[in-house]
Amino acid sequence: MRILFNVFPASSHVYPIVPLAWALQSAGHEVVLATTEAGLDPKLFTNIASAGLTAVPLGGKEELAESLAPLLAVANRPDRRTASIDPDDEDAWRTCRDMLIDLLDAHYPPGPAGGGRRPVLDTLVEFARDWRPDLVLWDPLAPTGAVAARACGAAHARLLFGMDNVGLVRSKTLQELADPASGLTQDPWLPWLEPVLERYGLDFTEETLLGQWTVDLTAARMQYPLDLRYMPVRWIPYNGGSTLPEWLHTRPERARVVFTLGQTRRLLDGPQGGFPLRAFFDSVSDLDLEMVATLNSDQLATVGALPDNVRAIGYVPLNQLLPTSSAVIHHGGGGTSGACVAFQVPQLIVPIPMWDEKVIAQHISGRGAGLLIDPAELDVDSMRKDLVRLLTEPSFRTGARDLYEDMLAAPAPKDVIPVLERLTAEHRG
């Protein structure tokens, strides 16, 4: 088969799918990853190539400058809107919906640019019609993949990088549309979707937003209870390649703690990433541990001299670092938390909202595999106390092991290849 992945332009969206793409290639299938050049991630295409995968650039860097400008203007502001779902906020999904629609409209504008071409959209559809994929696996933030699949007769499915926020928002939107008391009379997705579909002679169906089925990398116990067809796949941590530092060859003499804000968080929130870095490092300077903090040069410049028990590194893939670690402090990203589960490491999470960080943090803390700190009440002394608990109370290791057992219950990427082959044959037009 030929499989086209259509991915949102961020390495944090590419990394989760790499093990599945490898499995497909190892089974003899052709695989390419199509994405735009207009994201915030300057290393996106380098990271795809470093994973041994073929990238298909869809352009957009110049064409999308105008449509992306309003989003980029507020990207680094702490009060920016996000597509996060807050399980404690009854109306958070509506804010998420508005943000999702704005995000799609900016990255895949339905209107023509110079010469009447639709930026990104036309390039993707033309590539799909030329290359003729059998299956398109598309990011929930790239429903353009569904459009391209329908335009060339391929089967298509969503490939979730985290919680199914789009599925939840769509379900609640349909409930509102069916309820006269809600006041919602027009489907808010259609002003973006209809011009896109009409461009290629297509009508709207729910599969345009939800896929013919959904490949789900998320732990089954954590996912929303939606009436959709999910195909679970085990999360395999991949965080890029690097050279293994010599100090990682052996286990540390003291407990090793990892501190990371994640790659995307660096791009959006600047050096501090919403954390009082200097104060926190000072607060743990007297603890008998080795803290490995993934800090780039900009972050180091704001922190100054580090305590003796804090080691700063620019970047080391978590799958190299976590096997010798006793705890991780992070922002709640799905990639980081998934890697921690895979290596059974307790987690201290300060969820900074972007997509599903609070849901993840509540699940992990509720299962006894970590602790959750409300970012609105962030206090370095409390963080220090919680870190000591993670390192000294055996129950957190037990909780981390339970989450690992949950992860093993999902089939490995190589084991789902026959299912993907069968579903592709059933749905290919």
Side-chain angles (χ1 to χ4, degrees):
M1 294 194 306
R2 284 184 165 181
I3 297 95
L4 167 62
F5 287 83
N6 187 201
V7 188
F8 187 75
S11 293
S12 58
H13 287 240
V14 169
Y15 286 166
I17 71 176
V18 167
L20 179 59
W22 283 345
L24 287 163
Q25 288 190 155
S26 297
H29 300 299
E30 295 181 65
V31 173
V32 298
L33 271 68
T35 189
T36 77
E37 301 168 324
L40 288 171
D41 189 343
K43 296 183 179 180
L44 175 61
F45 287 94
T46 299
N47 290 337
I48 294 173
S50 295
L53 300 172
T54 300
V56 178
L58 300 176
K61 192 170 185 179
E62 290 79 22
E63 298 170 305
L64 299 181
E66 183 177 348
S67 64
L68 286 174
L71 291 181
L72 297 178
V74 299
N76 299 117
R77 286 174 44 177
D79 62 342
R80 68 180 181 274
R81 290 183 307 154
T82 72
S84 63
I85 296 292
D86 185 342
D88 299 320
D89 183 348
E90 181 69 24
D91 295 320
W93 68 270
R94 292 186 178 88
T95 302
C96 177
R97 180 178 65 194
D98 294 343
M99 181 58 186
L100 285 171
I101 293 171
D102 288 348
L103 196 70
L104 296 179
D105 193 63
H107 281 85
Y108 319 107
R117 287 183 58 80
R118 269 65 172 177
V120 178
L121 288 161
D122 281 348
T123 305
L124 177 63
V125 171
E126 288 167 6
F127 173 78
R129 284 173 169 169
D130 288 339
W131 195 62
R132 306 298 297 179
D134 299 286
L135 171 64
V136 179
L137 294 174
W138 49 275
D139 192 305
L141 298 186
T144 44
V147 177
R150 293 180 62 193
C152 72
H156 66 95
R158 292 186 305 156
L159 178 53
L160 300 184
F161 60 85
M163 298 292 291
D164 193 2
N165 287 5
V166 174
L168 178 67
V169 167
R170 186 60 185 164
S171 175
K172 288 184 173 293
T173 298
L174 293 176
Q175 291 173 21
E176 273 198 331
L177 288 169
D179 180 9
S182 72
L184 186 67
T185 58
Q186 182 183 25
D187 191 331
W189 296 89
L190 293 187
W192 176 76
L193 272 171
E194 283 186 333
V196 170
L197 294 167
E198 289 171 0
R199 168 74 167 173
Y200 311 109
L202 302 171
D203 296 324
F204 172 72
T205 69
E206 289 298 315
E207 290 179 354
T208 311
L209 286 174
L210 302 175
Q212 292 172 319
W213 73 94
T214 298
V215 180
D216 190 5
L217 298 169
T218 307
R221 291 195 189 187
M222 190 168 62
Q223 194 56 272
Y224 305 122
L226 301 174
D227 186 22
L228 297 173
R229 185 178 188 179
Y230 291 101
M231 189 185 84
V233 182
R234 187 183 309 164
W235 180 283
I236 305 294
Y238 173 80
N239 312 104
S242 74
T243 302
L244 187 68
E246 186 175 350
W247 55 271
L248 272 179
H249 291 183
T250 58
R251 298 196 68 83
E253 296 180 359
R254 300 182 291 176
R256 175 171 289 156
V257 176
V258 178
F259 178 93
T260 177
L261 300 179
Q263 293 190 77
T264 304
R265 187 62 56 192
R266 287 182 183 180
L267 294 170
L268 287 176
D269 287 343
Q272 293 291 327
F275 284 81
L277 297 178
R278 174 77 259 177
F280 176 65
F281 292 145
D282 286 342
S283 74
V284 300
S285 61
D286 62 328
L287 296 179
D288 185 26
L289 56 78
E290 176 196 52
M291 181 164 290
V292 179
T294 59
L295 304 173
N296 60 19
S297 57
D298 291 337
Q299 291 168 319
L300 283 172
T302 67
V303 172
L306 294 171
D308 292 339
N309 64 345
V310 177
R311 180 197 298 268
I313 57 174
Y315 179 71
V316 169
L318 287 175
N319 53 347
Q320 293 184 4
L321 192 52
L322 293 183
T324 58
S325 299
S326 301
V328 179
I329 303 168
H330 66 93
H331 60 294
T336 303
S337 61
C340 291
V341 171
F343 290 102
Q344 305 178 57
V345 183
Q347 307 173 51
L348 179 56
I349 306 176
V350 185
I352 308 300
M354 182 180 294
W355 186 258
D356 53 10
E357 292 79 5
K358 190 169 183 179
V359 178
I360 289 173
Q362 289 186 347
H363 177 73
I364 290 170
S365 62
R367 295 292 302 279
L371 293 169
L372 161 64
I373 295 179
D374 186 341
E377 301 175 0
L378 185 59
D379 173 79
V380 295
D381 292 331
S382 296
M383 287 183 67
R384 172 196 161 99
K385 292 176 182 177
D386 286 342
L387 175 58
V388 171
R389 285 189 61 197
L390 288 187
L391 295 173
T392 57
E393 297 181 19
S395 63
F396 293 108
R397 278 283 173 183
T398 301
R401 185 172 62 250
D402 290 343
L403 286 183
Y404 174 70
E405 295 295 332
D406 284 354
M407 185 197 75
L408 291 183
K414 67 179 181 63
D415 296 325
V416 303
I417 304 302
V419 182
L420 285 175
E421 292 170 342
R422 175 176 56 79
L423 290 173
T424 298
E426 290 177 5
H427 290 280
R428 188 168 46 210

